[in-house]
């Protein structure tokens, strides 16, 4: 027991060192506290003495007995375990010793065998050295023989080469033949001092010559396709034919083919024109509208034409260029056998070639575009131009340095400009046509004018069913013009659509919008309207009534509307559609409006003048054709006066349809005939009075002069304002002034004077309502009567009451 | 410019007839015939003193009737013709006669400045242009620059060429022509062309202008519808033999080249009522005077169709006058056809306007209310033309 305890202490120390090493010191500490219990029988700090004492103190005898027996049992089992372990260990030791002894024996045997093996190896090495030395001679011989063999095979190939070549040529496999020849050529060249080889070379050369000839034949054969051609050229180039000549030949061949395309196009062009002209010639009696229709149907439209041009000519040209470039310019092996300047030269030739052909193509296209006169469908043209332009871009990509694109763009621009001109013409002729329509509508018998004379307005309602009224005519004219402008704008707008390739050219972004469309088309058209309106004023008077006055009135209103709203509307519309980026000077709305207003004013002035003169003419004829000295006593108002009133009323209605009423001077409350009677009786009597006293010859003039001093000077023709009253005032003024003039060149008898009195009273009754200032009518009528009285042989005025009676009856 | 202010003279009667005294080349003298229906008519001889801006007048009685037209002999200062209305048996007939002014009218006027109070002297009748066969006389024309022996009267539709014999006391018809056509054709006015040895005449009837050859008394041209309405007056360009101006009721003045009568050379439309008279300046044919019943007289500068070289010497003028003031420069600009001035001194219709025969820069216009206005061409323009 003591021994156990003593041996346990160093063992524990070793164990602690290991624990320390492995970092288990904590466990050890815990173990140490645990181990501090000396009563644990299995613990390392077991103190038998303490344990025994403890047991003795704590346990009863039975418990001690039990404890003792249990402990004996445990000791016994421990003893037996120990014995078994010792035995086993002994056995193992014995067997290990046996094994070691056996091994010692085996090693001795193996050492002997190893010695034998090394001896054998040495003899093998010796033998092999011997063999290789004997075989050395044989090997060099074989190598030589195999070299000879391959040479012989090559020679055999060479000898057979001409035949093979011929076969290849016969089979049409030119490519193989040429490449083989190229390979063989250097060899042949190298050995051509040996006669047999020279024979072969000559033979090959003749074959190749034949091949070249054949290829050239094919090359010049016009029916060959482009692909075949390019093949030919490639082969020929490989055969060291002169590149320049080939270029020329290739191009000339391509030229002839493209020429066919061009001729096709040209034929199409001349064909259509011939058809057009023959169509015109054959059917001169046909109505002119059908002719363009017929010819349009028979000819191909421009899109088709351009399509054909693109598909045939341009694509072929592209093909030619592409293959040409591939062949002559971008050859990868260009360095070895071709001249250095070949690409440059070839490029130049190509450039010339393309420019010449494209030039011809462009002239054809231009001719075709020029034939495109009809302005109906612009989209076709635009699409055609687009396609044209697009295809040219492809071309220009192939051939970056050529002028083709610029020329093409020029053509497109020219076409667009031409289009704008055509549209302007179309608009102008449309305007003139619609004016003619309006004229016809006006010339057609109108009930409005006649019917309105009876009762104001009632006639015009009746006429509505039959004829369009003036406002309707005006609005339809104005609308149709506006619509036309809109549709034209729409058509022109196609040129700048986003999907059109040329729309992003600077021209189409800037100048086309501002100078072309805005100035060239819209502004020009508006100016044309004003211009033509003015022309109506200038030429109309020459051959009287060449322009119906109503048309003048209508146009003046149209121009006025343009001034107030339409122009700014149209221009805004234009500017919206064609966003102008270019800030070039453009005609402003105000200048255009001023022009329109001026035209409107001129037209209205002219209208007043014409109407006034028509009535004047009527009055003049009526005064001139009558013998006023020997006339009978007046019973009636003369018919012409009634006519004047009727016409004036009709004009009033007409003007009222288009123009606003306008401002008139306030009528005196009693502006009816009562006033007139007062006026006429008082003033006229006053003025006639001196006539009866010849002793005072100056008084007449004195009085009338004094009278004139106080009455305002009357401008026969002051500028007309844009309203009805002003227009009517102008007309009435002119008419009455004319009557004054007529009366002054005539002499009157007593009844002549009285008739004039009656007439004037009648006019007074009806005319005052039309004018802005009734005093004007008073004054002029007064002047008529007094002038008549002056020129009267026997001035006896009629009783006012009688005049009134006659007028009321009439 | 006080000198440019118009000078106004008032007659007591209404008037229509005005002429310059053609044979007088020293004094500025106009003859005005009154048109009074009931009283004795007069001929006023208006002398204008240019230096003092004063008008002297003399009155001669014309008792035959109201004067519609007056014409002064180109050769004899004292001889004139009138067309006048004669009322007989409640019929009005327009006659024509050749008159001589009493030789002492000039001295008599100076004796008594207030001669209107005295009974004025009467005209001496030389001879009647008997028109019983032809009807009312519209006007009588003297042979321009002639010897005062030949006259033409236009009566209704007849052109009658007269020879004055025995010191103008006897008139014989040397030839005549008649306008034939539908309806009642009536000459309204006419003008004897000063060109072609005075063998041509232009007449107006209704809307047509006709040219006549006086040797054969036949029509040589006819401008139908020359005006939209009645043609009132004509005048020949004194320097360009084929050029002719006309005016009418369509308020227009038109210029014609009688070789191309389809279209007028130019048209003016400045008046607002009938144009009654048109007159070329005798020496500067770009100056044109028109009178209208809108009571205005308009002086126009028709450079483009005058005999004056168009735009001549502009450069020279500019060079030499470069130091001149701006006023002068401004007046140089109207080389284009333009209206020079509108004269608004009249208050009634102006029926006649005449250039003075003595001073080419002076003219008179006469309105119905008896107002005679003497005006000058604006001085700036005058120098512009002269220099």
């Amino acid at each position: 027991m003591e021994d156990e305890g003593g041996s346990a202490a160093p063992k524990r120390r070793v164990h602690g060192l290991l624990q320390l090493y492995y970092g288990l010191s904590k466990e050890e500490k815990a173990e140490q506290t645990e181990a501090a219990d000396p009563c644990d029988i299995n613990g390392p700090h077991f103190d038998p003495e303490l344990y025994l004492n403890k047991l003795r103190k704590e346990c009863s005898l039975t418990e001690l007995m039990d404890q003792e027996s249990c402990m004996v049992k445990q000791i016994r089992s421990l003893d037996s375990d120990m014995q078994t372990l010792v035995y086993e260990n002994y056995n193992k030791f014995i067997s290990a010793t046996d094994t070691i002894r056996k091994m010692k024996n085996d090693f001795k045997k193996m050492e002997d065998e190893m010695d034998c093996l090394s001896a054998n190896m040495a003899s093998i090495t010796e033998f092999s050295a011997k063999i290789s030395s004997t075989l050395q001679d044989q090997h060099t011989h074989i190598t030589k023989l195999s070299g000879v063999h391959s040479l012989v095979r090559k020679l055999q190939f060479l000898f057979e080469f001409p035949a093979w070549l011929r076969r290849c040529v016969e089979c049409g496999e030119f490519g193989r033949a040429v490449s083989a020849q190229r390979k063989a050529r250097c060899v042949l060249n190298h050995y051509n001092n040996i006669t047999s080889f020279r024979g072969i070379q000559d033979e090959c050369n003749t074959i190749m010559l034949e091949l070249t000839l054949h290829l050239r034949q094919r090359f010049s054969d016009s029916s060959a396709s482009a692909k075949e051609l390019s093949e030919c050229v490639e082969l020929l180039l490989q055969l060291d034919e002169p590149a320049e000549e080939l270029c020329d030949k290739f191009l000339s061949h391509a030229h002839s083919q493209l020429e066919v395309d061009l001729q096709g196009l040209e034929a199409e062009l001349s064909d259509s024109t011939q058809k057009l002209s023959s169509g015109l010639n054959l059917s001169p009696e046909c109505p002119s509208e059908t002719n363009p229709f017929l010819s349009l149907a028979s000819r191909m439209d421009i899109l088709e034409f351009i399509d054909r041009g693109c598909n045939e000519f341009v694509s072929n040209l592209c093909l030619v260029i592409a293959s040409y470039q591939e062949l002559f310019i971008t050859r990868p092996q260009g360095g070895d056998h071709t001249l250095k300047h070949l690409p440059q030269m070839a490029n130049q030739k190509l450039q010339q070639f393309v420019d010449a052909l494209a030039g011809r193509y462009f002239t054809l296209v231009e001719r075709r575009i020029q034939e495109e006169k009809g302005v109906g469908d612009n989209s076709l043209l635009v699409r055609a131009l687009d396609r044209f332009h697009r295809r040219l871009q492809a071309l220009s990509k192939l051939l970056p340095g050529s002028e083709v694109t610029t020329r093409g763009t020029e053509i497109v621009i020219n076409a667009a400009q031409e289009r704008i001109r055509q549209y302007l013409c179309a608009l102008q002729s449309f305007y003139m046509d619609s004016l003619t329509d309006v004229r016809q509508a006006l010339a057609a018998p109108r009930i409005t004018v006649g019917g309105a004379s009876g009762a104001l307005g009632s006639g015009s309602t009746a006429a509505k069913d039959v004829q369009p009224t003036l406002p309707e005519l005006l609005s339809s004219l104005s609308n149709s013009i506006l619509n036309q402008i809109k549709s034209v704008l729409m058509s022109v707008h196609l040129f700048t659509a986003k999907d059109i390739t040329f729309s992003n050219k600077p021209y189409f972004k800037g100048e086309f919008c501002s100078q072309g469309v805005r100035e060239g088309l819209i502004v020009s058209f508006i100016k044309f309207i004003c211009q033509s309106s003015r022309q109506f004023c200038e030429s109309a008077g020459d051959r009287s009534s060449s322009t119906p006055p109503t048309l003048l009135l209508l146009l003046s209103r149209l121009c006025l509307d343009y001034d107030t709203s339409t122009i700014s509307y149209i221009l805004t519309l234009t500017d919206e559609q064609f966003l102008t980026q270019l800030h070039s000077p453009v005609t402003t709305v105000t200048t255009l409006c001023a022009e329109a207003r001026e035209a409107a004013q001129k037209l209205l002035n002219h209208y007043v003048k014409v109407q006034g003169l028509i009535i004047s003419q009527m009055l003049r004829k009526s005064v001139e054709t009558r013998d006023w000295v020997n006339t009978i006593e007046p019973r009636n108002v003369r018919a012409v006066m009634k006519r004047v009133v009727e016409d004036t009323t009709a004009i009033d209605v007409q003007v009222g349809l288009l123009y606003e009423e306008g401002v008139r001077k306030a009528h005196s409350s009693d502006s009816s005939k009562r006033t007139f009677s007062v006026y006429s009786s008082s003033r006229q009597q006053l003025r006639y009075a001196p006539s009866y006293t010849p002793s005072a010859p100056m008084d007449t003039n004195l009085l009338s002069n004094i009278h004139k001093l106080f009455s305002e000077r009357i401008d026969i023709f002051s500028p007309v304002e844009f309203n009805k009253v002003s227009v009517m005032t102008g007309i009435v003024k002119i008419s009455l002034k004319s009557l004054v003039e007529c009366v002054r060149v005539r002499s009157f008898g007593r009844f002549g004077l009285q008739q004039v009195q009656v007439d004037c009273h009648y006019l007074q009754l009806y005319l005052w309502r039309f004018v802005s200032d009734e005093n004007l009518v008073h004054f002029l009528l007064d002047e008529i009567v007094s002038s008549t009285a002056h020129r009267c042989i026997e001035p006896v005025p009629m009783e006012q009451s009688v005049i009134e009676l006659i007028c009321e009856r009439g | 410019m006080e000198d440019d202010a118009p000078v106004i003279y008032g007659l007591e009667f209404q008037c229509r007839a005005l002429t310059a005294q053609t044979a007088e080349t020293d004094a500025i003298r106009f003859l005005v015939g009154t048109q009074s229906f009931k009283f004795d008519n007069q001929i006023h001889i208006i002398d204008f003193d240019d230096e003092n801006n004063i008008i002297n007048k003399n009155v001669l009685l014309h008792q035959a009737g109201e004067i519609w037209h007056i014409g002064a002999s180109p050769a004899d200062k004292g001889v004139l013709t009138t067309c006048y209305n004669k009322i007989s048996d409640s019929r009005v007939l327009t006659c024509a006669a050749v008159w001589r002014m009493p030789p002492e009218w000039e001295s008599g006027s100076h004796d008594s400045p207030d001669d209107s109070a005295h009974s004025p002297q009467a005209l001496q009748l030389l001879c009647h242009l008997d028109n019983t066969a032809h009807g009312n006389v519209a006007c009588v024309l003297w042979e321009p620059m002639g010897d005062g022996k030949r006259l033409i009267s236009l009566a209704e539709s007849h052109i009658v060429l007269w020879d004055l014999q025995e010191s103008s006391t006897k008139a014989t018809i040397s030839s005549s022509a008649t306008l034939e056509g539908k309806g009642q054709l009536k000459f309204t006015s006419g003008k004897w062309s000063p060109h072609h040895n005075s063998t041509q005449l232009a007449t107006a009837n209704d809307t047509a202008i006709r040219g006549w050859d006086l040797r054969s008394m036949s029509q040589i041209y006819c401008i139908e519808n020359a005006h939209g309405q009645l043609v009132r007056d004509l005048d020949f360009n004194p320097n360009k033999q084929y050029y002719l101006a006309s005016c009418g009721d369509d308020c227009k003045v038109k210029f014609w080249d009688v070789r191309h009568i389809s279209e007028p050379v130019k048209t003016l439309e400045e008046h607002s009522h009938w144009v009654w008279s048109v007159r070329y300046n005798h020496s500067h044919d770009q100056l044109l005077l028109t009178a209208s019943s809108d009571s205005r007289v308009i002086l126009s500068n028709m450079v483009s169709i005058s005999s004056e070289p168009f735009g001549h010497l502009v450069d020279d003028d500019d060079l030499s006058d470069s130091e001149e003031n701006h006023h002068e420069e401004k007046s140089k600009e109207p080389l284009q056809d333009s209206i020079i001035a509108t004269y608004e001194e009249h208050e009634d219709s102006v029926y006649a306007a005449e250039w003075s025969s003595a001073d080419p820069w002076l003219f008179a216009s006469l309105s119905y209310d008896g107002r005679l206005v003497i005006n000058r061409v604006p001085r700036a323009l005058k120098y512009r033309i002269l220099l």
Side-chain angles (χ1 to χ4, degrees), chain A residues 472-483:
Chain A
E472 282 167 15
L473 272 176
L474 176 69
S475 67
S476 76
L477 175 67
S478 166
N479 285 339
S480 64
I481 291 173
L482 209 57
N483 285 337

Side-chain angles (χ1 to χ4, degrees), chain A residues 701 717 741 744 790-791, chain B residues 12 38 66 272 348-349 351:
Chain A
N701 291 306
F717 199 85
E741 295 303 325
R744 282 181 184 175
H790 276 304
R791 305 206 45 79
Chain B
E12 298 85 347
K38 299 173 192 84
E66 53 174 8
S272 59
D348 206 334
S349 309
Y351 293 132

Side-chain angles (χ1 to χ4, degrees), chain A residues 249-268:
Chain A
K249 272 209 158 169
F250 182 83
L251 287 181
S252 74
H253 184 265
H255 187 271
S256 66
Q257 276 213 331
L258 291 169
E259 187 66 25
V260 172
D261 291 341
L262 280 179
Q263 271 165 1
L265 287 178
E266 196 163 5
E268 184 58 45

Side-chain angles (χ1 to χ4, degrees), chain B residues 248-300:
Chain B
D249 284 4
D250 58 358
C251 316
K252 289 178 186 168
V253 178
K254 294 189 181 183
F255 297 89
W256 304 91
D257 181 339
V258 297
R259 295 163 298 185
H260 307 286
I261 57 172
S262 55
E263 283 294 322
V265 179
K266 205 164 177 68
T267 302
L268 287 182
E269 194 168 3
E270 304 296 345
H271 286 290
S272 59
H273 207 252
W274 302 352
V275 188
W276 285 78
S277 171
V278 58
R279 287 286 179 273
Y280 278 109
N281 187 297
H282 301 308
S283 29
H284 305 283
D285 55 281
Q286 64 266 53
L287 300 178
L288 189 90
L289 210 52
T290 51
S292 153
S293 41
D294 62 4
S295 11
R296 290 193 179 89
V297 175
I298 294 182
L299 177 62
S300 319

